[in-house]
Every structure is written in structure tokens, then in C-alpha cells.
Amino acid sequence: MLAVMDTARALNLCRPFLAAVAAAGLAAGFAARLAGAASGWADAIWAAVTIPVLLALLAEIVTSLRRGDLGLDIVAALSMTAALAVGQELAAAIVALMYAGGQYLETFAERAARREMTALLSRVPRSALRHRDGRLEEVGLDLILPGDRLLVRQGDVVPVDGTVEGVAVLDQSALTGEALPVQLKAGEAALSGSTNVGEAFDLTATRRAAESTYAGIVRLVEAAQASRAPMSRLADRYAILFLVVTVAMAGAAWAFTGDAIRAVAVLVVATPCPLILAVPVAIVSGLSRAARIGILIKGGKAIEALARIRSLVIDKTGTLTLGHARLVDIRVTGDIGPNEVLRLAASIDQASKHIVAQTVVREAQARGLTLAVPAEVAETPGEGLTGRVDGHAVMVGGLRFIANKLGVDVRSAAGERPPGALASAVAIDGKLAGILILADELRAGTEQLLRDLRAVGIDRIVLATGDRHEVARFVSAGLSIDLVRSELTPDQKILVVLAERKNGPVMMIGDGVNDAPALAAADVGMAMGARGAAASAEAADVVLLVDQLDRVLPAIRIARRSRAIALESVIAGMGLSFAAMIAAAFGLIVPVEGALLQEAIDVLVILNALRALRG
């Protein structure tokens, strides 16, 4: 295997030299003919420059056969050999140049198609600056442990997942496709792979490098680049058939006419490029374009499956909804305004680590409210807090906690609230001042997204959640959803996915650990990878690197366009090739014309496949 890899590497290094030799030799032969030299000199030059290209091609064919691949470079080898054998040295030299130049064209197309994914891989940092005993030391990423404090300089790529100390301004465009930088405050999480575009800041590592977000993305990209689409494997099988048909047609042209030149013309004009290049270039172009906008599709198989999706199963918490509580209403019961009620409640909540208290603090800060420093704070874990803020006695907590403190019923003041919503009461100076209603909100634009998905051919949409039935019903009210399944265990979500298969290929969208089995069971699993669980990202076929559900629609559109362009390239390219072969068999195309026509078809097909890179 190592010998095969070394041979392939050596051949790749020789390609620029071979292309240059073929071009120079072709020009030298024409110069000799124009200078009035004997025709034999020009023919000898053209034959001489064909031989090294032919030998390199034969070495490549042997390497492919040892690897188990029956390459269609055999057609090019046959055409050069046959052209030399019947005295068509010019045609042989043109084929040699076209073959060597075609290798360059193939490399360019592959490089362009993989550009965005390769950019992700090239950004992987190799080391980081770690604080240790009052000094900075540069260490390899594998030596960084959770809890280590790192210095991230301006322009550095964040090496591991961690929390910010101070303020950080990060460019996450390579991960999410979002053009604008984000500003993170102390204690907020920073994703590895982001670029520091602000001042240097300290980062406390929360994960080892190998377990961080960017390392996971790199593994997914490497797997995507190494994979082959089912359409590509199907093209390989058709390519073998093409080889047989080409040889048979060339043989028949020679046998029925007795003219070996016609057989050579058929071999020279035969171009399997639409089969062996158009499909992978179009598919990889689609993968690269998706990566550019924060959608990581794990290879050709996934993008082809995504193009055929007809049913959608979607999780609720963290997928259809934001996945965390937000303040949706402030119901005041006295003379104090809603913003002041929120300010006083958030001020005292600063003293608590409870998730509800921290949510209230974030909401107040988001509204630009200036929070005071609380005093005399006493917390009853899981129930509420009491203390003083700006001279006021303030109490914040659950309805029962405040009712017990005030000795009055506060449930009536809370009134009706959405299923699954949480009520937090606020008392000021011994009187109930208001009720804060917190709930997990539906993502903005969800209904429009579901309508757009139906417009592109998604026939059935099912909500599958482990949450209570009344919560699921409330969230899905008014949405374009065909079926709501609630209170599901992870294995029951798998059954929902399998049941939907009768309606066509199924895509499952989720973000939690409990979604991972269903993601793996679906024809296409799509994970909300920006803040979702690592298990769901590993199990999924598609990972959204940005926490936005609206990326589902462009993912499907890119997949369908890439597949359509691949099919279009194959059908049009092979149609042109067969038409040219028939014309050559009837003597309408001579070998030199066939060589030029063959290269024109190759270029057209590859350029068409590269259209998948654009919108």
C-alpha cells in the first residue's frame, strides 16, 4: 500500500513537467514543419514527446489496478498507442498534451470545489500560550487541560473551547458563515476555531483540544473529503461499460471499413470525463458551498440523501424552540413599572447561580437596565431570595415561596400562562409588585421556514419531543405541522422516524443527546451543532455550525442543485461523447479533430460541474 501511495505521489509531482514537455514538443513540431524541415522531423518530435506521457499514464494505470480501481485512463493510453501505431503522431501528441493538461484541470477543479472545507482545515492551531507560574509558555494543544488559563492574542485562532475572562471580540465566520464579529463578556463560552479580532484576552479552557468544537469539525471535514458519493460509485460502474463500448465501437469501425484511422479517431474522441470527474466535482462543490454558510455535510452520500428528502421529523427543545428560558411577560400588580420591577428583581438575582435567576439577570442587562449591588441577601435554595436593593426590601422566587413570605395567595395574580412557562413572583417592601413569566420561545421565522420547506417538496412534517403533550400542542399551534408526538423516549423517537419512511426518505433534526439515536436512524440526521450535544453532532449526517434553524432550507437547496448539476453534466457530456464517437466511426472526424473535440467536451463538463459552487 505504501508503494502504491509513493508511486501516486511521484506521478503527481511529474504532472507539471509532463504538461510542459508535451506543450513544448507540440510547438517544436509545428515550428519544424513551418521551417520547411522534412515532415519526418515533425513526426519524430511529436512521437518523442508522446512517449514519456504515455509511460507515465501506463504507470498510473498500473497503480490504479493495484489499488483495485479500473481507471478510464485506459482509453487515453489506447488512443495514444493506436495513433502512434498508424502514423498519426500529431494526434498522439495532442492527446498527450490534453491528458497532461487535463490532470491540471482536474486538480484545479478539485481544489476549487474543496476550497471552503480546506480553509477550515488550514486554520487548525498547533500551539497555545498558557499562563504558568507567573509567565507565559507555548505548549502543544494536546498538553492543554480543562482549567488551564490561556492567552489568546489578536489574530490568534481560539485553540480550545473555554470561557472568556474580560471581553473578547471574535470572528466566527469560518465556523458559522456569519460576517459580523461577536462580542463575548466575562464567563461567556468561546468556541474553538474562532479568530480573535479584538484585544488580547484570557481564556479558561473547559475542554481538551481533541474534545473541543473545532477538533470535532475538523474530523467531520476530513471524513467528508475522504467519502465518495453513491452517484460517484454508480458512475464508476457506468465508466467500465463506457470502456467496453468504446473499444467495441473502435473495433467495429476498423472491421467494417478496414480503415484503422477511424478506430483511432473513435478512441481519441472518447471522453469519460463526464462520468469520472463531473459527478465528484459537482458533489464536492456542493459540500464546499454549504460549508461556506455554516452547514457541514458529511460527504457525498449525505448530500445525495439530503437531495431526496420528502419527510421531516423535528425535535422541539433547542431545535424548534431556542432551548432556554426567556422573559416573555412582566405582569405588574402595583404602582411600580415593569422595568423597575425587573431591575430590582435582577439586582437581587445577581447573588444566585440558579438558572432562572441568571436568566432574569441576562434579560435585564439586555434591556440596558443598570443593576444595583444587593445587600443582606439570603437564599432558600431552589425557592427564592430575599434582600435589600437601593433601600427596598426585595423578595424574588416561586409563587409558593412568595405566598408563604407575604401570607397571601399570589396564584391569581399570575393568571393564565403558556403551557411549560414558569412564573417568578417579585415582592417589594412587603407587597406583591409583579410576576415574571419565563418560557422557551419558538424560533423567529419558524412558520415561514416550514412553509418554504413544503414549497421545495417536503410533503410531511412531524414534531417529535420528550416534553409534555400540552407543551408540545401549545408550541406547535398555528404551525404547518402534520403530526405532534410528545412524551417520547429516545427509542420511541427512532420508531417515529422509521414509521415516517413510508412517506419517503426522512430527515431528523435535533440537538440533544436524546436525539442522537433518531439522528442515526434517519436517512439524513441534521444536528444543531453550535450549542447542541457532541453526541448528536457525531451521529448526524449534517451539522449546522450556527444556531439558526433557517439554514435547513439552503442545505436542501444546495444538495438538490448539486445533484441536478451532476446529472446534467453526465447526460450532456456523455451525449456529446457518443455523438462524436459515432461521427468518428463514420469517418466524419479525423484523429486530430477528435483530440481537440475531446478536450473541449472535458472543459465544458468540468466548468458546468463547478456551477454548484455558486448560488
Side-chain angles (χ1 to χ4, degrees), residues 19 56 203 318 504 527 532 609:
L203 178 84

Side-chain angles (χ1 to χ4, degrees), residues 4 16 26 48 79-80 93 165 167 194 210 213 235 247 274 280 341 354 374 448-449 451 460 491 520 552 569 608:
V4 171
L26 195 63
S79 63
M80 278 188 264
E165 297 182 17
V167 177
S194 307
T213 301
V247 174
V341 170
H354 193 280
Q448 183 61 49
L449 171 64
R451 286 200 297 266
R460 187 168 168 82
D491 57 326
V552 176
S569 298
N608 186 66

Side-chain angles (χ1 to χ4, degrees), residues 11-35:
L11 290 170
N12 285 334
L13 292 174
C14 288
R15 283 175 180 173
F17 171 75
L18 292 174
V21 166
L26 195 63
F30 280 120
R33 181 164 290 184
L34 289 173

Side-chain angles (χ1 to χ4, degrees), residues 221-263:
V221 170
E222 289 172 339
Q225 289 192 330
S227 69
R228 299 183 67 202
M231 192 185 293
S232 296
R233 290 190 288 270
L234 184 64
D236 286 345
R237 290 196 290 272
Y238 280 121
I240 295 171
L241 177 62
F242 177 82
L243 173 61
V244 174
V245 170
T246 299
V247 174
M249 189 177 293
W254 189 2
F256 283 106
T257 65
D259 186 359
I261 302 296
R262 294 194 183 190

Side-chain angles (χ1 to χ4, degrees), residues 40-185:
W41 277 103
D43 291 341
I45 293 172
W46 289 329
V49 297
T50 300
I51 291 172
V53 177
L54 179 58
L55 292 175
L57 176 55
L58 291 173
E60 191 158 334
I61 290 171
V62 172
T63 302
S64 298
L65 291 174
R66 290 173 63 185
R67 203 168 49 227
D69 296 334
L70 180 60
L72 276 175
D73 291 335
I74 293 174
V75 175
L78 286 174
S79 63
M80 278 188 264
T81 303
L84 290 175
V86 299
Q88 293 286 319
E89 289 84 0
L90 175 57
I94 292 175
V95 173
L97 176 60
M98 295 309 179
Y99 170 76
Q103 301 302 308
Y104 262 146
L105 182 60
E106 177 183 351
T107 302
F108 164 78
E110 287 282 338
R111 188 183 299 119
R114 296 181 185 273
R115 183 172 56 239
E116 303 302 329
M117 293 193 295
T118 303
L120 282 173
L121 294 178
S122 66
R123 292 167 42 82
V124 179
R126 305 298 176 189
S127 61
L129 288 176
R130 181 171 64 184
H131 290 276
R132 179 61 58 89
D133 299 328
R135 61 185 180 85
L136 290 171
E137 59 178 2
E138 186 167 0
V139 296
L141 294 192
D142 56 336
L143 298 179
I144 297 174
L145 300 174
D148 283 349
R149 191 160 63 95
L150 311 174
L151 176 65
V152 182
R153 298 165 296 188
Q154 188 176 44
D156 282 353
V157 174
V158 177
V160 297
D161 291 348
T163 55
V164 171
E165 297 182 17
V167 177
V169 182
L170 300 179
D171 176 4
Q172 298 180 329
S173 58
L175 301 176
T176 66
E178 293 296 320
L180 297 178
V182 297
Q183 180 171 305
L184 302 181
K185 299 177 182 178

